[in-house]
Amino acid sequence: DHHCERQIGFGSEILTFTDKIAHATSGSFQVTTDGFAPYRDAVLMSLGMQRVSFAQLIKIYRSPVMDDTRYSPAECTGCRKEVVMGNPDMDRVSTSIIERHNLSVRMGNRRFTRLTNAFSKKWDNHRAAMALYLAHYNFCRQHKTLQGSTPAMVAGVTKSLWSVKDLLHAAAKF
């Protein structure tokens, strides 16, 4: 059915993502995801049981009531932490950092906001807008939590703060 096809599609995208994490990292580390089922297989297949301690933070929602709030999110009434593999530090099991980052992305780039003119209807336009936003976020935007540096500076990708002009010149080289 359609729902099953969607799950398989998301699973392959998640596997592509976890494969990239496996390629970009070394050693062992801890991973926390939300309760989305395809994460379990993707993390195991890409990162293996020897490298990763893996836990899921599973949110519990109140049953939705069909009324005039159909675009409102369901009410989260609690959560539970579940060990998937390895020996994760349960005190560090959290999705707060990535949820905050996702909020920053949604607020800084209206392409994700349904029912607006900015919502991406074409994948190429969405990908280009996201690439520009994330490049600016990582190379041009100073972050207070990084003492005025950019994520790219902290990661050692660049030694200096980029201007938008620098970013556009770098993009033109591709």
Side-chain angles (χ1 to χ4, degrees), residues 74-135:
E75 180 185 352
C76 181
T77 59
C79 60
R80 73 177 193 277
K81 297 176 182 181
E82 191 173 292
V83 174
V84 178
M85 68 179 145
N87 188 26
D89 179 350
M90 297 308 278
D91 290 337
R92 300 193 68 202
V93 172
S94 173
T95 56
S96 296
I97 293 170
I98 192 63
E99 286 178 12
R100 174 60 223 185
H101 178 69
N102 289 343
L103 177 62
S104 294
V105 170
R106 284 194 313 275
M107 301 288 39
N109 186 338
R110 305 313 294 176
R111 296 259 172 193
F112 289 99
T113 307
R114 295 183 316 147
L115 306 176
T116 68
N117 289 338
F119 181 73
S120 289
K121 294 171 190 74
K122 293 182 180 176
W123 175 243
D124 287 342
N125 295 345
H126 183 75
R127 189 174 59 217
M130 284 306 305
L132 183 58
Y133 171 79
L134 291 170

Side-chain angles (χ1 to χ4, degrees), residues 117-165:
N117 289 338
F119 181 73
S120 289
K121 294 171 190 74
K122 293 182 180 176
W123 175 243
D124 287 342
N125 295 345
H126 183 75
R127 189 174 59 217
M130 284 306 305
L132 183 58
Y133 171 79
L134 291 170
H136 181 271
Y137 182 91
N138 286 304
F139 288 89
C140 304
R141 184 176 176 266
Q142 293 175 292
H143 296 253
K144 289 180 187 175
T145 58
L146 300 177
Q147 292 74 45
S149 293
T150 67
M153 291 166 66
V154 172
V157 176
T158 184
K159 294 184 189 300
S160 62
L161 176 69
W162 288 18
S163 67
V164 173
K165 183 177 179 181

